[in-house]
Amino acid sequence: MTSTYPHVTLNNGVDMPALGLGVYQSKPEETTDAVVTALNAGYRHIDTAAAYFNEAEVGEGLRRADVDRADVFVETKLWISDYGYDEALHGFEKSIRKLGVDTIDLLLLHQPLPSQFDKTIAAYKALETLLADGRVRSIGVSNQSPEELDRLLAETSIVPAVNQIQLHPYYTQPEWRAVNDKHGIITQCWSPIAGAYTYNGNEKNPFTEPTLVELGQKYGKTPAQVMLRWHLDHGFSAIPKSVKPERIRENLDVFDFTLTADEVASIDALNTGVSGSIDPDSLTLESHGMPIPE
Ligand code: NAP
């Protein structure tokens, strides 16, 4: 049993608070308050992205909260329209300008770009330069399949610290996790409370799922809290999104209990093997390459 904020150590020794606030689909006008609420409630990690169009509001939240910037792990992602070496360096400059910070704690490539993977590789090499220059403290990827990771590892020098992928009780991603583990890459889970299922009208509802409801009753927790504890008990990083103060606080209140191995396995067994979202490999510059503003 633990009551302290769990951290994970990245493959370059950097310490990352395992639970963070996600801000995908947080409207710009809601984002600053969400970040302030989260940091003042005790969160020490925020996950944003250039393509969420709310980095400036995240930055405003960082400045307004009663917490030093140095005590917050700030993570953002480069979008595919900024792939290529010089383009990625410029994308980083856009992100730090909007966030109002000098360094990023973790910078990810948001997606692979399978149709032009050479641009993905070139962008990753820019991340390696930023790491060598001390502009970012760690680098990683998101939505990279085992095959894409193999190619990236073969053509670049630094093993990503993190691969951020869709992962929740309905989509537990055993193959991708195993490959991340093999390379010492931390698995970070997007849609950790199955948000992608909710957004996309899937019939499954984790908040009425009997296994999660019953475990919640046992521990005096909600199904969302049980799901987040499951992530932490697996050693993942998880970045639940909410703009509602009570849910932001609820999602952090998961450090005072742990699940047994059998309980973790009972949640693992909810896996449907079906993604709640579009295939990340289906994205192209033509379909999704919207420009990121200066
Ligand atoms: P999520 O965090 O699993 O779920 C968010 C949804 O659940 C929102 O609709 C939120 O609504 C609601 N919610 C939050 N806390 C709740 C609670 N305690 N009880 C009931 N409902 C609750 O899904 P997500 O936003 O898709 O993923 C989380 C983060 O992962 C994103 O914000 C983003 O940072 C990252 N992400 C990354 C990628 C990628 O491609 N790398 C893709 C998607 C997401 P309210 O806001 O109204 O509370």
Side-chain angles (χ1 to χ4, degrees):
M1 182 107 94
T2 172
S3 58
T4 52
Y5 207 128
H7 288 227
V8 292
T9 304
L10 305 182
N11 58 13
N12 63 348
V14 166
D15 176 82
M16 178 172 79
L19 191 77
L21 177 76
V23 296
Y24 173 51
Q25 295 184 335
S26 302
K27 296 186 187 110
E29 63 274 19
E30 297 172 325
T31 301
T32 297
D33 283 352
V35 170
V36 171
T37 300
L39 294 178
N40 287 349
Y43 285 74
R44 290 296 178 265
H45 177 174
I46 309 289
D47 175 69
T48 184
Y52 299 166
F53 302 106
N54 57 18
E55 287 175 309
E57 291 76 12
V58 168
E60 185 59 29
L62 290 171
R63 286 184 293 281
R64 279 198 209 163
D66 305 325
V67 179
D68 286 345
R69 155 72 186 101
D71 294 332
V72 183
F73 192 93
V74 178
E75 172 174 359
T76 193
K77 317 181 193 77
L78 287 176
W79 188 239
I80 54 174
S81 48
D82 284 330
Y83 284 9
Y85 186 83
D86 291 338
E87 294 88 339
L89 292 179
H90 182 61
F92 163 77
E93 296 295 339
K94 288 191 277 187
S95 285
I96 58 165
R97 195 183 315 135
K98 288 176 196 157
L99 285 160
V101 298
D102 298 325
T103 54
I104 301 284
D105 296 288
L106 174 60
L107 182 61
L108 305 182
L109 297 187
H110 202 145
Q111 302 274 346
L113 195 51
S115 58
Q116 294 175 55
F117 205 73
D118 53 331
K119 282 191 169 230
T120 310
I121 297 289
Y124 191 79
K125 288 185 174 171
L127 265 54
E128 292 180 325
T129 298
L130 291 166
L131 184 67
D133 291 348
R135 309 296 310 278
V136 299
R137 295 177 64 229
S138 52
I139 60 175
V141 295
S142 176
N143 298 308
Q144 294 261 347
S145 69
E147 299 71 30
E148 288 157 346
L149 259 186
D150 274 351
R151 182 162 169 204
L152 187 96
L153 291 170
E155 296 185 35
T156 61
S157 310
I158 298 173
V159 178
V162 163
N163 188 9
Q164 186 186 115
I165 60 175
Q166 184 192 162
L167 201 160
H168 47 76
Y170 292 142
Y171 195 50
T172 63
Q173 298 263 48
E175 294 83 13
W176 288 31
R177 276 160 50 189
V179 172
N180 290 345
D181 288 350
K182 185 176 93 182
H183 296 297
I185 298 170
I186 294 289
T187 296
Q188 185 174 61
C189 308
W190 64 257
S191 281
I193 55 171
Y197 266 72
T198 317
Y199 302 146
N200 293 313
N202 196 290
E203 281 177 14
K204 284 192 171 292
N205 179 354
F207 304 110
T208 56
E209 180 68 49
T211 302
L212 301 173
V213 171
E214 283 161 25
L215 286 170
Q217 284 164 351
K218 171 176 172 185
Y219 290 107
K221 297 289 178 182
T222 65
Q225 291 171 319
V226 171
M227 284 187 271
L228 292 168
R229 190 66 240 177
W230 171 81
H231 286 283
L232 298 176
D233 286 338
H234 263 299
F236 305 145
S237 170
I239 43 170
K241 174 262 179 185
S242 181
V243 292
K244 299 196 167 61
E246 66 282 8
R247 287 179 174 175
I248 291 172
R249 287 189 280 271
E250 173 187 329
N251 294 344
L252 188 73
D253 184 17
V254 295
F255 304 153
D256 59 353
F257 74 115
T258 53
L259 300 168
T260 67
D262 284 349
E263 289 166 349
V264 168
S266 72
I267 299 175
D268 293 344
L270 299 176
N271 185 27
T272 64
V274 176
S275 164
S277 190
I278 60 167
D279 175 3
D281 272 357
S282 67
L283 270 71
T284 65
L285 277 178
E286 292 68 35
S287 65
H288 289 83
M290 71 279 186
I292 301 299
E294 291 298 319

